[in-house]
């Protein structure tokens, strides 16, 4: 192959690869920058993904809760892990939906339930944490403004967000149609209150950050309460079990099939 032909072939291949990447990989710019403020002046930053929106139909709403490492006020770090899987071309084609990805402020948590300590070592209270209260207010406001299928509101989260996912459905058991907590844990004493909610739990067998026993205990408590939760424990996987969980097409298919 001549030098000129080789260069033409190289740039044509590069162009093709870039085009494929552009059409298949989610872009952070798809998520708009938003802020919710309650009547007391408390604020919650969040990023918003819209479907190919048309008021003729109603769309499911996915709530995504990030982990502890993505807390802050830049309204950007929460897109680092997991949530971008909902914004790929493939997923937006098969499962058009709204996605709300809030950012928990520094020093705060999504979850608050007895027996668990916050990031500062203090025991959490049974009432919802402030960021969770703001999130619920945001959801209630959002469903009044946009064409949301209120029978298909889903919640998922990883690590701190996995704890938050359990806490959200235990505090608000009639709001969500399904939940996917990843490497988290919940209050086993309240398992009966969420036995009616379809739940698929994920964890890594070698997780040194969040003990897999916490997910196993919730699975067992839910089963004893009459539920049929899904449980996937990845062997030879540590804390980053969310990489496999959110890239699993079976999980996505299962999630978007769920209705209240």
């Amino acid at each position: 192959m001549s030098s000129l032909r080789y260069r033409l072939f190289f740039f044509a291949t590069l162009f093709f690869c870039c085009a494929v990447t552009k059409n298949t990989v989610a872009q952070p710019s798809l998520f708009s920058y938003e802020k919710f403020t309650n009547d007391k002046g408390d604020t919650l930053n969040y990023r918003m993904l819209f479907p190919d929106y048309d008021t003729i139909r109603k769309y499911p709403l996915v709530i995504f809760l990030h982990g502890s490492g993505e807390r802050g006020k830049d309204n950007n770090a929460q897109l680092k892990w997991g949530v971008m899987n909902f914004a790929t071309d493939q997923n937006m084609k098969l499962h058009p939906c709204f996605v709300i990805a809030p950012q928990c402020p520094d020093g705060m948590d999504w979850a608050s339930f007895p027996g668990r300590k916050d990031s500062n070592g203090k025991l959490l209270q049974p009432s919802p944490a402030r960021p969770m209260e703001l999130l619920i207010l945001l959801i209630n406001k959002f469903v009044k403004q946009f064409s949301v299928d209120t029978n298909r509101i889903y919640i998922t989260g990883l690590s701190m967000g996995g704890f938050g996912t359990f806490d959200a459905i235990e505090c608000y058991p009639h709001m969500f149609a399904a939940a996917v907590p990843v490497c988290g844990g919940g209050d086993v004493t309240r398992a009966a209150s969420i036995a009616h909610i379809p739940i698929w739990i994920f964890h890594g067998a070698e997780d040194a950050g969040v003990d897999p026993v916490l997910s196993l205990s919730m699975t067992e408590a839910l089963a004893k309460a009459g539920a049929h939760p899904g449980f996937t424990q990845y062997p030879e996987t540590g804390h980053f079990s969310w990489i496999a969980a959110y890239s699993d097409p079976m999980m996505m298919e299962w999630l978007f099939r769920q209705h209240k």
Side-chain angles (χ1 to χ4, degrees):
M1 183 180 292
S2 69
S3 176
L4 176 59
R5 291 178 63 190
Y6 177 83
R7 287 198 297 270
L8 290 173
F9 176 79
F10 173 81
F11 285 113
T13 303
L14 179 64
F15 176 82
F16 174 78
C17 291
C18 291
V20 170
T21 300
K22 183 178 179 181
N23 288 329
T24 58
V25 177
Q27 300 295 320
S29 59
L30 293 174
F31 287 79
S32 62
Y33 288 84
E34 308 290 345
K35 178 181 292 187
F36 171 75
T37 304
N38 67 5
D39 55 8
K40 298 179 181 178
D42 299 320
T43 62
L44 181 69
N45 290 328
Y46 67 100
R47 299 291 290 273
M48 186 77 231
L49 175 71
F50 282 84
D52 183 11
Y53 187 61
D54 192 319
T55 55
I56 294 175
R57 58 175 295 190
K58 292 184 179 294
Y59 299 84
L61 169 62
V62 176
I63 307 299
F64 182 90
L65 304 181
H66 64 77
S68 60
E70 290 70 62
R71 287 178 290 195
K73 56 183 179 181
D74 65 352
N75 205 8
N76 189 61
Q78 71 266 39
L79 301 184
K80 181 178 180 180
W81 298 110
V83 69
M84 300 305 293
N85 291 76
F86 290 93
T88 63
D89 287 357
Q90 181 75 357
N91 200 70
M92 292 182 72
K93 177 182 72 174
L94 296 176
H95 308 296
C97 63
F98 297 103
V99 178
I100 291 177
Q103 185 176 36
C104 186
D106 287 323
M108 296 187 182
D109 287 82
W110 293 124
S112 178
F113 52 83
R116 180 169 177 263
K117 297 181 179 180
D118 66 13
S119 57
N120 297 315
K122 297 180 180 179
L123 282 174
L124 298 171
Q125 301 302 312
S127 58
R130 177 60 61 84
M132 182 61 70
E133 289 180 332
L134 289 171
L135 174 59
I136 299 302
L137 289 174
L138 168 60
I139 295 171
N140 287 330
K141 180 180 179 180
F142 189 85
V143 299
K144 293 177 181 178
Q145 293 180 325
F146 295 95
S147 187
V148 175
D149 184 348
T150 54
N151 289 317
R152 298 178 69 197
I153 300 177
Y154 310 126
I155 187 164
T156 183
L158 59 94
S159 194
M160 183 182 78
F163 285 97
T165 298
F166 274 121
D167 201 47
I169 59 178
E170 289 182 329
C171 290
Y172 308 94
H174 302 295
M175 173 173 283
F176 301 99
V180 180
V182 181
C183 56
D187 184 352
V188 295
T189 66
R190 293 192 286 176
S193 68
I194 57 172
H196 63 286
I197 301 175
I199 303 172
W200 192 343
I201 301 167
F202 290 84
H203 219 120
E206 299 178 359
D207 192 333
V210 178
D211 195 332
V213 169
L214 296 176
S215 284
L216 284 166
S217 296
M218 281 302 302
T219 302
E220 293 173 355
L222 286 165
K224 289 180 180 179
H228 301 88
F231 177 66
T232 298
Q233 181 168 278
Y234 297 110
E236 300 181 348
T237 298
H239 193 46
F240 284 19
S241 56
W242 57 77
I243 294 176
Y246 290 117
S247 61
D248 185 346
M250 290 182 62
M251 185 280 285
M252 289 290 188
E253 291 295 329
W254 173 87
L255 180 65
F256 286 100
R257 285 203 311 268
Q258 306 310 312
H259 295 256
K260 284 170 62 176

